[in-house]
Amino acid sequence: MLGDDVKIDFSAEPKIDGLSMSLRYQNGELVTAATRGDGSEGEDVTANIKMLKDVPQRLKGKRVPAVCEVRGEVYMTKADFLKLNERQQAAGDTIFANPRNSAAGSLRQKDSAVTASRPLGFFAYAWGEMTALPADTQSGMIKWFEACGFKTNPLTKLCHSVEELIAFHRHIEERRAKLDYDIDGVVYKVDRIDWQERLGFVSRTPRWGIAHKFPAER
């Protein structure tokens, strides 16, 4: 679709093992938040997501579309997960199996005060509905998320060849055990958004992006 001799740049990022989240902003204000669910319909967690300091209530900057859907991952660090389970055990409450389950359970609380007491983080990395795109590349959108007040993964890198992608994958796999959050691979995305649009999707799977998983940890 792009031609055999086209030079393609890729945005590469660690694949966070957390809870996928979609945040909808209207005129810069956060109006709804939902889990990914089955891909088309998720669970409304708006009241609880507003408790996260990593999620801005109002977007910063001047280039904010009237409608803006920001997607990312809610996660809990390994250190905070261990501390939470210690508190849970001391209180005689449920012990969580892993950081992902603890993040999901924390977001699904009926009492938002409980969510506020849990140490949850959020990385922005994608988007849905936008009345206008403020950048023309994946890497440009990541910078725009940062300008709006979101945290993005600092390990995200722009790669210019397959060799650079493989080297990045090896580098992240070597760092995996030292990171304070769980990852299960690396995601590669064609950087140019117009090329993403040209490549399109197969069912719900993008032709312009792929996850390169790690072997399961033991």
Side-chain angles (χ1 to χ4, degrees):
M1 284 188 176
L2 298 180
D4 295 334
D5 57 349
V6 172
K7 181 181 179 298
I8 304 174
D9 291 332
F10 297 89
S11 178
E13 63 195 37
K15 185 176 180 295
I16 306 295
D17 188 17
L19 184 68
S20 296
M21 188 64 49
S22 178
L23 311 173
R24 184 179 178 87
Y25 291 82
Q26 292 180 351
N27 298 317
E29 296 282 351
L30 177 62
V31 292
T32 58
T35 61
R36 185 171 59 184
D38 61 4
S40 60
E41 185 175 341
E43 182 178 352
D44 188 328
V45 291
T46 306
N48 288 348
I49 207 72
K50 288 182 176 181
M51 299 295 107
L52 275 62
K53 65 181 186 333
D54 287 354
V55 175
Q57 304 287 307
R58 182 170 181 80
L59 300 182
K60 301 177 183 177
K62 298 178 180 178
R63 295 182 300 154
V64 178
V67 175
C68 172
E69 184 184 348
V70 178
R71 295 176 181 173
E73 209 82 5
V74 175
Y75 69 98
M76 185 178 291
T77 67
K78 298 172 185 176
D80 285 334
F81 165 70
L82 293 175
K83 292 176 183 176
L84 174 61
N85 263 353
E86 288 174 359
R87 295 198 300 270
Q88 292 288 103
Q89 187 172 26
D93 291 332
T94 302
I95 301 298
F96 295 106
N98 52 55
R100 187 186 188 282
N101 284 357
S102 64
S106 298
L107 269 181
R108 293 187 171 112
Q109 295 292 322
K110 293 181 179 180
D111 183 356
S112 296
V114 176
T115 303
S117 72
R118 303 281 175 84
L120 298 175
F122 179 81
F123 279 138
Y125 58 74
W127 60 94
E129 181 184 359
M130 289 271 191
T131 48
L133 276 178
D136 56 9
T137 61
Q138 180 78 32
S139 52
M141 288 297 294
I142 296 297
K143 292 177 182 176
W144 181 77
F145 290 146
E146 294 170 357
C148 286
F150 288 101
K151 284 187 177 179
T152 62
N153 196 306
L155 297 176
T156 300
K157 183 179 180 181
L158 186 64
C159 297
H160 307 287
S161 66
V162 172
E163 290 75 20
E164 285 189 31
L165 290 176
I166 298 302
F168 179 77
H169 186 272
R170 289 173 180 160
H171 171 67
I172 297 299
E173 187 173 14
E174 289 171 358
R175 293 192 58 177
R176 181 184 186 185
K178 298 178 182 178
L179 293 175
D180 197 23
Y181 49 85
D182 285 334
I183 62 174
D184 56 8
V186 170
V187 178
Y188 311 134
K189 301 174 184 176
V190 172
D191 196 48
R192 279 181 52 169
I193 295 173
D194 61 337
W195 286 359
Q196 290 184 9
E197 293 170 348
R198 190 189 304 181
L199 290 166
F201 289 76
V202 177
S203 184
R204 291 176 183 157
T205 304
R207 287 194 180 99
W208 45 265
I210 190 170
H212 188 175
K213 293 289 194 74
F214 296 137
E217 283 188 309
R218 297 182 179 180

